[in-house]
Structure formats: C-alpha cells, structure tokens
Amino acid sequence: MYAERASRLAGAVVWTNTPAGPEPGRVLPDGCMDLLWHDGRLLVAGPDTRAHLIEGSPAPWSGVRFPPGTAPALLGVPAVELRDRRVDLTDLWPAARARRLAALVNAAGDPAEGLERAALSRAAETAPPDPLLGRITAALDAGRPVAATADELGIGARLLYRRSVAAFGYGPKTLARVLRLQRALALARAGTPLAETAARTGFADQAHLTRDVRELTGVTPGELLG
C-alpha cells in the first residue's frame, strides 16, 4: 500500500510504500529525486529517464521526494551523477556521517518521520533553492518550448542545458517530456479519454501519447492505468 503527505519541507512529499506481493513495483519518471529508507539503509534515488522496477522482498519503504532541481544542493552531488541510479548514501557522503544519519532515522518511531526531520535539518544547513530552477520547471511543466523557456528566462539555450543537467539530471527536453508524461497520467487517471488527454497535454495524437508512455514506463497506457 502506498501513501503520501505534504512535507514540512516546502514542496517535498513524504511517502511510505509496503508492496502487496512479490511482483516488481514500477516507479515512473517524475523529474524528482528521493531520500529513501529500506531495511535500515538510507539510499538516494536519482532522476529517472525510464521506469525503475523494484524487486526483492516486499519489505516497507519510506521516502522524502524533493521537488525537481532541489536535491543536488541538499545532497552535495550533481543530479546527472545519479541519473537512473539508486545508491547508498555512504557512496555519496563520508561513511561516518552517513551512518550517523541512518542511526537517527532508524531510532525514530517512524522512518518516514525520521527522514523528514533529516531533510529539514539538512535544508537548514544549506542555501535556499535557486529560484531559477523553479521557474525552469514551471515553464516546461506549462508546456513552453525549450527555446521559448530559455528566451523568457534570459539565460540562453546552452546555459539552460548546463543548469538543467546539473540540477535535474538531464537536459530541458527530457525534463519537459517527463513532466508532460506526469500531466497526461494525471488527466487519464481522473477519467479523461486518452485522445482528449493527448490533445490537452501537447501530444500530436493518441498514438504519440501511447509511444511516449511505452518508452518512458515500459508498458502501454492501458496496462499502466489498469
């Protein structure tokens, strides 16, 4: 069973998930990065360009999902280095520091609450998120073309690309594609027919939507929504 709530850290989400059975779970690309707890370990989920399948024993997971572009400053590592990866926190931080944080989370009555407190503590030690990253995300999520986004923000296409790779893990075209997928799935899950969903979210047609969903998630819209 999956559950989530808004975090006390602005824009973040705290979630828990206990798989219902042995079949693999499917985590879809969303432009975000997560700090994870599983079996007493702390891991970091990098930005995905395709669905990530979770296999193994159906043990509980907890996580804090950071808004797009904000996790690299908190974790001290460019997003591109974690693209399509799940890594132990000890691979990113000095081992003693990572173990101390894991001990604090494991000592909490609720690992999700412990993760949230750790994220809030880390945020208090770092500079606030660059507002430009939020503007990039908002423009692309609104369906703005990449070139138009660069012009509107006054940063140029090359700088937009460099900033995007460091903060989001990939260039603005990929980020726009991932965000469009999430917009389309939200509409479809709310009952909007796929043809209308495709038209409202910037796809050429329903066939284009189906191809994109299959490439990004590994299954068809019908399989995913079912």
Side-chain angles (χ1 to χ4, degrees):
M1 177 181 292
Y2 176 85
E4 67 176 42
R5 63 171 174 82
S7 171
R8 289 171 287 164
L9 181 64
V13 171
V14 179
W15 59 267
T16 58
N17 185 35
T18 301
E23 65 276 3
R26 189 178 301 271
V27 180
L28 305 184
D30 59 7
C32 301
M33 293 174 58
D34 295 60
L35 179 62
L36 309 172
W37 174 93
H38 181 65
D39 280 344
R41 299 164 54 210
L42 293 187
L43 305 97
V44 175
D48 292 322
T49 60
R50 58 186 180 275
H52 176 79
L53 298 181
I54 301 176
E55 300 180 303
S57 61
W61 290 78
S62 297
V64 175
R65 181 178 307 118
F66 300 103
T70 60
L74 297 175
L75 299 173
V77 59
V80 67
E81 295 185 10
L82 301 175
R83 183 172 60 202
D84 292 319
R85 299 178 63 200
R86 305 296 188 269
V87 301
D88 278 284
L89 189 61
T90 52
D91 293 335
L92 305 178
W93 287 7
R97 181 184 174 197
R99 283 196 297 266
R100 283 196 300 271
L101 186 60
L104 290 173
V105 174
N106 286 323
D110 176 8
E113 178 66 24
L115 284 174
E116 183 179 31
R117 288 201 299 266
L120 287 166
S121 176
R122 181 60 184 156
E125 300 170 352
T126 58
D130 184 347
L132 177 65
L133 301 176
R135 294 169 64 194
I136 292 172
T137 303
L140 296 176
D141 198 26
R144 298 275 201 286
V146 172
T149 297
D151 289 342
E152 290 172 11
L153 298 179
I155 59 175
R158 290 184 179 179
L159 181 55
L160 173 61
Y161 180 83
R162 291 197 298 270
R163 294 296 301 273
S164 294
V165 168
F168 307 115
Y170 30 62
K173 288 185 178 180
T174 299
L175 177 61
R177 191 180 183 213
V178 166
L179 295 175
R180 183 177 61 180
L181 169 73
Q182 290 294 329
R183 293 198 307 274
L185 291 178
L187 281 176
R189 285 168 176 153
T192 304
L194 289 179
E196 182 181 347
T197 292
R200 290 174 59 180
T201 51
F203 291 91
D205 51 29
Q206 184 176 334
H208 181 200
L209 167 64
T210 298
R211 288 194 303 272
D212 233 39
V213 169
R214 187 190 291 274
E215 289 176 9
L216 289 170
T217 72
V219 294
T220 65
E223 291 171 317
L224 189 61
L225 297 170

